[in-house]
Amino acid sequence: MQDLHHHLNFILELDKLKAVYRKALIKADNNRYENSAEHSWHIALTSHVLAPYADSSVDIARVSLMLLIHDIVEIDAGDTFAFDHLAVLSAQSIKESAAAERIFGLLPAPYNAQFIDLWNEFEKAMTPDAQFAKAMDRILPLIQNMQNNGGSWAQNSVTKNQVIQRNQYLEKSAPKLWHYVLAQIETATRNGWLKEE
Amino acid sequence: MQDLHHHLNFILELDKLKAVYRKALIKADNNRYENSAEHSWHIALTSHVLAPYADSSVDIARVSLMLLIHDIVEIDAGDTFAFDHLAVLSAQSIKESAAAERIFGLLPAPYNAQFIDLWNEFEKAMTPDAQFAKAMDRILPLIQNMQNNGGSWAQNSVTKNQVIQRNQYLEKSAPKLWHYVLAQIETATRNGWLKEE
Ligand SMILES: [Ca+2]
């Protein structure tokens, strides 16, 4: 029962992700800010819904678990805006690794290491599973911004090339979605929601 | 690409679950009310964390997907308090079936039927997967209330037997957790957080 106590402690710690707020707005809830817990739910489920478009090498059950845990490090490290300066993003990366050690470390062996490994796999984005997971994390803001007159892009002067780069993970892990995304980015640029340069 | 459009519409519709509030409070975020999207994230992840305690017949990947979708019907039907009157709960059940038809029906075949079937399996709770999923939905409030001087139990005069019945799904799907839960319920009753009768 000693082990169970550690599992339950980890589960309680997760509650804190509901207090980490992102830049995205929830239109359905009076445009309040989105938190990282509900965001993680949305993209984990998105991976199941878009599974028919994934390359056959992708294991959706692993992708979904990756997405459920991918933002947990923000409990200690906070959220960073995706298009922030490189120095900010690199300091963030160090904070997140320490956070992964502490938070997943609440679990007993071997589960702590399994979660840390899965989180590292997501971060490195070298496997088909991690690449499809990254793609889910990136396609959702795109869909939302397209519905919202450019949303966070327009507010933060994001360029067309930045968004193309961020969604590049789709090229191999889900080619059909990649073509769709490129077309959407063209539309956004034509509408002035993304800057040409 | 016609199908993709329907998939994306469904994904956008999901945003509305972030505006459905439950009776549970988030201690980590100034005791605001919890919404059903972040709750779904928490228990889907809880099923992975407690997987080592599940009976071997349980498929955690299916359980996790069940939990990701189990509350989506609340977009149309709203949340009901678990210990509400029977007439309220039965009217709710009819509203939820209609909601499942409408919301999962946004997806093209065969995905609409797959999701409706999975949601019905969860509701009926006759399979080991659905029983473990139900157990996750019920053990989390228990863990939270135990940390919070009885939390929503104390506020709503819930009885010991009501909580035992609600957690009974654990008995077969995760016997070790069942013994733990029974001991916690004893403690809660001793502390006056649950009523004897
Ligand atoms: Ca993210």
Side-chain angles (χ1 to χ4, degrees):
Chain A
M1 279 317 206
Q2 190 49 29
D3 264 13
L4 176 56
H5 175 75
H6 293 298
H7 282 93
L8 297 179
N9 250 354
F10 175 76
I11 290 166
L12 286 171
E13 180 75 14
L14 295 177
D15 228 33
K16 297 181 183 162
L17 195 61
K18 300 169 189 168
V20 175
Y21 288 90
R22 300 156 38 83
K23 289 224 194 249
L25 300 175
I26 310 285
K27 229 174 148 180
D29 198 19
N30 300 315
N31 274 316
R32 68 166 174 82
Y33 284 102
E34 184 181 39
N35 70 62
S36 292
E38 62 199 351
H39 161 72
S40 299
W41 165 76
H42 206 166
I43 59 173
L45 188 43
T46 294
S47 75
H48 290 281
V49 174
L50 295 180
Y53 296 91
D55 187 80
S56 61
S57 59
V58 174
D59 175 344
I60 293 294
R62 289 190 83 238
V63 168
S64 176
L65 180 53
M66 257 181 214
L67 290 170
L68 288 174
I69 68 162
H70 84 291
D71 269 345
I72 288 177
V73 293
E74 294 180 359
I75 288 174
D76 289 354
D79 183 47
T80 322
F81 186 51
F83 300 106
D84 218 325
H85 297 293
L86 215 59
V88 176
L89 294 176
S90 131
Q92 180 69 5
S93 162
I94 294 167
K95 272 197 272 179
E96 289 186 351
S97 296
E101 294 291 333
R102 183 191 75 76
I103 302 168
F104 297 123
L106 295 173
L107 288 167
Y111 308 105
N112 46 9
Q114 283 171 9
F115 277 107
I116 291 173
D117 288 351
L118 197 65
W119 180 78
N120 274 320
E121 181 180 336
F122 174 81
E123 284 298 306
K124 290 193 188 122
M126 301 296 285
T127 62
D129 290 351
Q131 286 172 354
F132 191 69
K134 284 269 179 194
M136 296 302 99
D137 196 23
R138 282 150 191 216
I139 199 173
L140 191 57
L142 177 137
I143 302 170
Q144 286 167 332
N145 284 341
M146 290 304 293
Q147 292 280 320
N148 210 359
N149 293 318
S152 62
W153 291 333
Q155 280 162 31
N156 294 280
S157 308
V158 174
T159 69
K160 172 180 165 176
N161 283 337
Q162 285 177 308
V163 179
I164 292 178
Q165 265 180 39
R166 271 186 73 71
N167 284 280
Q168 196 101 36
Y169 292 114
L170 285 173
E171 193 171 0
K172 273 194 226 151
S173 67
K176 274 186 207 162
L177 293 178
W178 175 237
H179 293 302
Y180 172 83
V181 161
L182 286 179
Q184 296 289 300
I185 291 172
E186 282 310 320
T187 304
T189 310
R190 251 194 332 270
N191 293 351
W193 301 337
L194 286 172
K195 286 167 53 179
E196 273 285 357
E197 172 42 13
Chain B
M1 279 319 203
Q2 189 52 28
D3 263 13
L4 176 56
H5 175 74
H6 293 298
H7 283 92
L8 297 179
N9 250 353
F10 174 75
I11 290 166
L12 286 171
E13 180 75 12
L14 295 177
D15 228 32
K16 297 181 185 163
L17 196 59
K18 300 169 189 168
V20 175
Y21 288 90
R22 299 156 40 82
K23 289 225 194 247
L25 301 174
I26 310 285
K27 228 173 148 181
D29 200 18
N30 299 315
N31 274 316
R32 68 165 174 84
Y33 284 103
E34 184 181 39
N35 70 62
S36 291
E38 60 198 352
H39 161 71
S40 299
W41 165 77
H42 205 166
I43 59 172
L45 188 42
T46 294
S47 75
H48 290 280
V49 173
L50 294 181
Y53 297 92
D55 187 81
S56 63
S57 58
V58 173
D59 176 343
I60 294 293
R62 289 190 84 237
V63 168
S64 176
L65 180 53
M66 256 181 214
L67 290 170
L68 288 174
I69 67 162
H70 83 291
D71 270 344
I72 288 177
V73 294
E74 295 180 357
I75 288 174
D76 288 355
D79 183 46
T80 322
F81 185 52
F83 301 106
D84 218 325
H85 297 293
L86 214 62
V88 176
L89 294 175
S90 130
Q92 180 69 5
S93 162
I94 294 167
K95 273 198 273 178
E96 288 186 352
S97 296
E101 293 292 332
R102 184 193 74 77
I103 303 168
F104 297 123
L106 295 172
L107 288 167
Y111 308 105
N112 47 8
Q114 283 170 9
F115 277 107
I116 291 173
D117 288 351
L118 197 64
W119 179 78
N120 275 319
E121 182 180 336
F122 174 81
E123 284 297 306
K124 290 193 188 121
M126 301 296 285
T127 63
D129 290 351
Q131 287 173 353
F132 192 68
K134 284 270 180 192
M136 296 301 99
D137 196 22
R138 283 151 191 214
I139 198 172
L140 192 57
L142 177 136
I143 302 170
Q144 286 166 333
N145 284 341
M146 290 304 293
Q147 292 280 319
N148 211 359
N149 294 318
S152 63
W153 291 333
Q155 281 162 32
N156 294 281
S157 310
V158 175
T159 69
K160 173 180 165 176
N161 283 337
Q162 283 178 309
V163 179
I164 291 179
Q165 264 181 39
R166 271 185 76 69
N167 283 279
Q168 196 102 38
Y169 292 116
L170 284 173
E171 192 172 358
K172 273 196 227 150
S173 68
K176 274 187 210 165
L177 294 178
W178 174 236
H179 293 302
Y180 172 83
V181 161
L182 286 180
Q184 297 288 301
I185 291 173
E186 282 310 319
T187 304
T189 310
R190 253 194 331 271
N191 293 350
W193 300 338
L194 286 172
K195 284 168 52 180
E196 273 285 357
E197 171 44 11

